[in-house]
């Protein structure tokens, strides 16, 4: 439960007289709108305890119910307070970041401390830890007598809000709002420091999706969700009277660009549903973000730049690997499709969070570093700064190309069984162990006379097979489940060694 809601429950539980929304607002340091939204949550929490919120026109609000019920609610509240104390440093910093980014007034460190159940000193340490990241986003965290606030251009503030929403562990909860047609709102604050509940997200997402624009069919689910979050951020910033600014030259360039009509339809749908107004700049701002994640097949300049970028990457990889990647049509096609929206992101400094980046860096470390090195040429030629998130996605295209060229292990099967059993065993291994190919089967009595240098691995149905300085794996003639597991484990290690990209990279001076 949101900490502010808990504070309101505590206020009303300990107050016999009526309290006005303004009085509650002053205590919890929130807007009238936020307090009224919180009071709806308070009502739903109180309902199971037969406690009501009585509203009296011109007087205020009072909590009414049996004393035993109030005591039970108070006990529950105390338990919930304890659970809310378990904020990790990163979770606290994410909370503070979103709070100061979306607040309309400076946030007092004392109030942030009360919300997070930590000292003012801890809040100051967390804010200090945030400063470098905000600086990287071209924003400044200002601490003054009035409180803590963020200084910078509105588009950078929106980008930073987007980043923290994407990085937050609650991000995945938004997927259910989109995917589950039977979703039932609980007025839950998905992001505790943002004054909007799951219902607010759900309602706005549906308003946008009900436009049934064809562009949604072009997007993967992840990209569609990213676009919906961008729209939501624009919506809440307009509500808080925080307009975005774009230069006149940039606006003129966008007049004949793609996706203006789609952006306009989305904005009109929100205007109709919420009685707010998107000015022309806001429509163009949304248009840019649609362009950044949708391939723009009609924009010639982007087409040309995307082709050049794809070719430069491919030739960079060719210098690093002993393989003609320029002959791989599938690599160029997939890379070109990625580079088209990527160029829009890079041109306008639009971040794209790569949730797979830690896995990519760990599992494909060498390939990632090679791609990062190749991107330096693109940065020089185009004047872009390419983030690790973007490089991570480019790395996956190279990984896919390398996978297409990976060679199975050339395996010799040494057997003491009949031809029929051997054929059965050969087919089983080829079908069930994807890393291996049984290219030849020989009798156990003749393997010593064979040239074994061309084989990567040896399998034998008898423990009597001994090959000096070579690995021999003992299996049963019928290949049971234990054998399959063993072969896949052993085979994968040999397969990785045989196809290790570092073996094909040229030595650097």
């Amino acid at each position: 439960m949101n900490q502010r809601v808990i504070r309101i429950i505590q206020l009303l539980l300990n107050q016999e007289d009526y309290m006005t929304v303004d009085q509650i607002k002053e205590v919890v340091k929130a807007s009238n709108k936020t307090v009224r939204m919180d009071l709806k949550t308070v009502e739903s929490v109180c309902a199971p305890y037969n406690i009501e919120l009585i509203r009296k026109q011109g007087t205020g609000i009072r909590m009414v119910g049996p004393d035993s019920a109030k005591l039970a609610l108070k006990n529950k509240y105390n338990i919930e307070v304890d659970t809310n104390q378990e904020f990790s440093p990163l979770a606290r910093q994410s909370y503070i970041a979103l709070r100061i980014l979306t607040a309309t007034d400076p946030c007092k460190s004392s109030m942030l401390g009360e919300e997070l159940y930590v000292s003012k000193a801890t809040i100051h340490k967390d804010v200090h830890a945030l400063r470098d990241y905000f600086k990287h986003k071209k924003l400044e965290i200002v601490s003054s007598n009035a409180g803590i606030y963020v200084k910078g251009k509105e588009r950078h503030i929106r980008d930073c809000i987007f980043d923290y929403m994407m990085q937050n562990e609650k991000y995945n909860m938004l997927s259910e709002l989109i995917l589950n047609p039977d979703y039932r709102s609980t007025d839950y604050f998905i992001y505790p420091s943002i004054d909007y509940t799951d219902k607010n997200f759900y309602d706005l997402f549906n308003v946008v999706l009900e436009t049934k624009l064809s562009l949604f069919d072009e997007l993967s689910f992840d990209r569609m969700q990213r676009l919906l979050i961008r729209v939501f951020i624009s919506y809440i910033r307009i509500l808080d009277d925080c307009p975005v600014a774009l230069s006149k030259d940039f606006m003129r360039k966008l007049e004949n660009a793609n996706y203006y009509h789609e952006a306009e339809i989305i904005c009109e749908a929100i205007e109709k549903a919420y009685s707010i107004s998107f000015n022309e700049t806001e429509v163009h701002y949304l248009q840019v973000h649609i362009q950044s994640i949708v391939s723009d097949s009609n924009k010639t300049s982007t087409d040309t730049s995307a082709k050049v970028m794809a070719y430069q990457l491919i030739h960079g990889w060719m210098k690093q690997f002993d393989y003609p990647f320029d002959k791989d049509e599938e690599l160029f096609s997939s890379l070109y499709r990625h580079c088209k929206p990527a160029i829009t992101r890079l041109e306008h400094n639009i971040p794209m969070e790569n949730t797979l980046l830690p896995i990519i860096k760990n599992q494909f470390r060498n390939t990632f570093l090679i791609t990062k090195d190749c991107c330096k040429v693109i940065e020089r030629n185009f004047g872009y700064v390419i983030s690790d998130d973007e490089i991570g996605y480019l790395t996956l295209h190279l990984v896919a190309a390398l996978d297409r060229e990976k060679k199975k292990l050339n395996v010799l099967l040494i057997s003491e069984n009949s031809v029929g059993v051997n054929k059965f065993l050969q087919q089983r291994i080829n079908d069930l162990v994807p890393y291996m190919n049984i290219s030849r089967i020989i009798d156990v009595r003749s393997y010593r006379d064979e040239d074994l240098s061309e084989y990567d691995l040896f399998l034998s149905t008898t423990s009597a097979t001994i090959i000096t300085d070579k690995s021999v794996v003992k299996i049963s003639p019928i290949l049971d489940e234990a054998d399959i597991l063993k072969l896949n484990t052993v085979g994968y290690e040999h397969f990785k060694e045989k196809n290790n990209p570092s073996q094909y990279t040229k030595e650097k001076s």
Side-chain angles (χ1 to χ4, degrees):
M1 188 188 300
N2 182 277
Q3 290 80 16
R4 195 177 49 252
V5 173
I6 295 174
R7 286 177 58 78
I8 293 173
I9 292 173
Q10 182 187 43
L11 280 173
L12 295 175
L13 277 170
N14 296 329
Q15 182 75 29
E16 292 297 328
D17 295 329
Y18 286 93
M19 289 190 74
T20 66
V21 170
D22 284 340
Q23 287 173 324
I24 297 173
K25 177 189 79 172
E26 290 302 315
V27 175
V28 300
K29 302 298 181 187
S31 66
N32 282 29
K33 177 197 73 174
T34 298
V35 170
R36 289 193 177 92
M37 287 171 55
D38 287 345
L39 286 170
K40 291 180 181 178
T41 305
V42 171
E43 283 185 304
S44 65
V45 171
C46 292
Y49 295 86
N50 294 319
I51 296 173
E52 295 182 78
L53 295 189
I54 304 298
R55 290 173 171 79
K56 190 173 182 180
Q57 189 71 27
T59 304
I61 301 160
R62 187 161 67 95
M63 193 176 279
V64 175
D67 289 341
S68 58
K70 288 184 178 181
L71 180 61
L73 181 59
K74 199 166 189 175
N75 289 336
K76 177 179 173 62
Y77 154 75
N78 287 332
I79 293 171
E80 292 201 31
V81 169
D82 291 339
T83 62
N84 274 297
Q85 291 175 343
E86 299 176 4
F87 276 90
S88 68
L90 286 177
R92 277 200 318 269
Q93 289 166 24
S94 177
Y95 180 101
I96 293 168
L98 284 172
R99 186 85 155 80
I100 62 178
L101 283 164
T102 58
T104 53
D105 297 309
C107 298
K108 293 283 190 182
S109 56
S110 57
M111 183 55 63
L112 291 170
E114 288 181 24
E115 292 174 3
L116 293 165
Y117 301 97
V118 294
S119 66
K120 286 173 63 175
T122 299
I123 296 297
H124 288 307
K125 287 180 183 178
D126 287 337
V127 170
H128 180 74
L130 291 170
R131 291 186 188 277
D132 284 344
Y133 185 78
F134 273 62
K135 186 177 180 180
H136 173 69
K137 292 295 181 181
K138 301 180 181 179
L139 297 172
E140 179 186 0
I141 298 178
V142 180
S143 298
S144 67
N145 292 334
I148 304 165
Y149 62 94
V150 179
K151 185 178 179 182
K153 292 182 179 179
E154 174 62 20
R155 62 188 178 89
H156 295 151
I157 290 175
R158 295 189 189 188
D159 287 344
C160 205
I161 293 172
F162 178 81
D163 284 355
Y164 275 102
M165 289 178 72
M166 292 290 296
Q167 294 166 14
N168 194 292
E169 61 182 11
K170 300 296 181 67
Y171 166 72
N172 290 329
M173 293 182 64
L174 297 177
S175 302
E176 187 181 357
L177 306 182
I178 305 168
L179 291 172
N180 185 0
D182 299 320
Y183 182 82
R184 292 292 178 267
S185 169
T186 57
D187 277 335
Y188 174 78
F189 287 88
I190 295 177
Y191 298 96
S193 52
I194 298 182
D195 295 334
Y196 293 91
T197 67
D198 60 339
K199 186 178 189 307
N200 299 131
F201 281 96
Y202 179 76
D203 289 345
L204 185 85
F205 288 173
N206 276 320
V207 167
V208 176
L209 294 174
E210 283 172 5
T211 60
K212 301 190 184 303
L213 290 170
S214 59
L215 77 88
F216 294 126
D217 297 329
E218 302 176 44
L219 300 175
S220 66
F221 177 78
D222 178 65
R223 293 193 174 201
M224 181 178 72
Q225 185 164 317
R226 290 168 184 265
L227 177 57
L228 290 173
I229 292 173
R230 283 286 184 182
V231 174
F232 188 88
I233 292 170
S234 292
Y235 160 70
I236 65 175
R237 297 301 285 173
I238 290 171
L239 282 182
D240 288 335
D241 196 25
C242 299
V244 74
L246 300 174
S247 70
K248 291 182 180 179
D249 287 342
F250 185 52
M251 294 269 283
R252 278 196 294 271
K253 290 179 183 178
L254 289 171
E255 285 177 359
N256 298 317
N258 285 350
Y259 298 110
Y260 176 82
H261 179 63
E262 286 82 352
E264 190 176 40
I265 289 175
I266 291 172
C267 292
E268 286 175 353
I270 297 172
E271 287 176 335
K272 184 177 179 181
Y274 293 96
S275 300
I276 64 171
S277 179
F278 283 77
N279 61 31
E280 192 73 4
T281 305
E282 292 287 354
V283 178
H284 281 306
Y285 174 78
L286 180 56
Q287 176 191 7
V288 170
H289 284 290
I290 296 175
Q291 286 180 337
S292 73
I293 60 172
V294 182
S295 296
D296 187 348
S297 60
N298 298 318
K299 192 173 180 183
T300 306
S301 61
T302 300
D303 275 0
T304 303
S305 297
K307 288 176 182 177
V308 171
M309 182 182 288
Y311 280 128
Q312 287 184 349
L313 266 173
I314 288 171
H315 283 281
W317 288 331
M318 287 175 64
K319 290 180 181 178
Q320 297 278 354
F321 292 83
D322 187 18
Y323 185 79
F325 288 111
D326 58 340
K327 306 299 182 185
D328 189 338
E329 294 183 4
E330 188 173 344
L331 173 61
F332 174 76
S333 178
S334 64
L335 197 58
Y336 165 63
R337 288 196 303 271
H338 176 91
C339 287
K340 287 168 75 176
I343 284 174
T344 303
R345 290 193 294 273
L346 295 169
E347 281 180 348
H348 306 302
N349 197 27
I350 298 170
M352 187 172 187
E353 184 75 15
N354 187 344
T355 55
L356 299 175
L357 187 60
I359 301 172
I360 294 170
K361 283 185 172 181
N362 180 54
Q363 190 167 342
F364 309 114
R365 181 177 180 275
N366 187 58
T367 317
F368 174 85
L369 292 175
I370 288 170
T371 303
K372 187 167 187 172
D373 188 55
C374 292
C375 282
K376 292 177 182 176
V377 176
I378 294 173
E379 290 182 326
R380 288 196 298 270
N381 292 344
F382 284 83
Y384 299 146
V385 176
I386 304 178
S387 68
D388 279 5
D389 295 273
E390 200 74 60
I391 293 170
Y393 283 121
L394 295 172
T395 299
L396 293 181
H397 291 280
L398 176 56
V399 170
L402 291 169
D403 281 346
R404 285 193 292 273
E405 297 308 315
K406 284 181 177 176
K407 299 177 178 63
K408 289 186 176 184
L409 297 174
N410 187 23
V411 180
L412 175 67
L413 175 60
I414 303 169
S415 176
E416 58 184 345
N417 301 294
S418 66
V419 173
V421 171
N422 288 341
K423 287 295 183 184
F424 167 78
L425 188 55
Q426 180 182 26
Q427 183 175 339
R428 290 264 292 167
I429 293 172
N430 287 341
D431 289 346
L432 298 175
V433 187
Y435 314 109
M436 297 183 183
N437 179 52
I438 307 296
S439 58
R440 190 159 176 238
I441 306 172
I442 61 173
D443 188 85
V444 68
R445 293 168 294 182
S446 59
Y447 78 90
R448 296 180 187 275
D449 301 324
E450 293 286 329
D451 179 7
L452 306 178
S453 60
E454 64 181 282
Y455 299 104
D456 301 305
L457 191 66
F458 302 90
L459 307 183
S460 178
T461 59
T462 172
S463 56
T465 304
I466 300 174
I467 302 175
T468 307
D469 298 328
K470 294 288 184 178
S471 177
V472 181
V473 181
K474 169 71 168 56
I475 58 173
S476 68
I478 60 171
L479 202 70
D480 58 26
E481 290 186 5
D483 288 325
I484 296 170
L485 179 61
K486 177 168 60 176
L487 288 183
N488 273 289
T489 303
V490 173
Y492 181 62
E493 290 305 316
H494 281 76
F495 178 77
K496 280 199 305 181
E497 184 178 347
K498 179 176 181 176
N499 294 284
N500 188 342
S502 62
Q503 295 184 5
Y504 305 108
T505 56
K506 296 179 180 178
E507 291 295 328
K508 295 181 180 179
S509 58

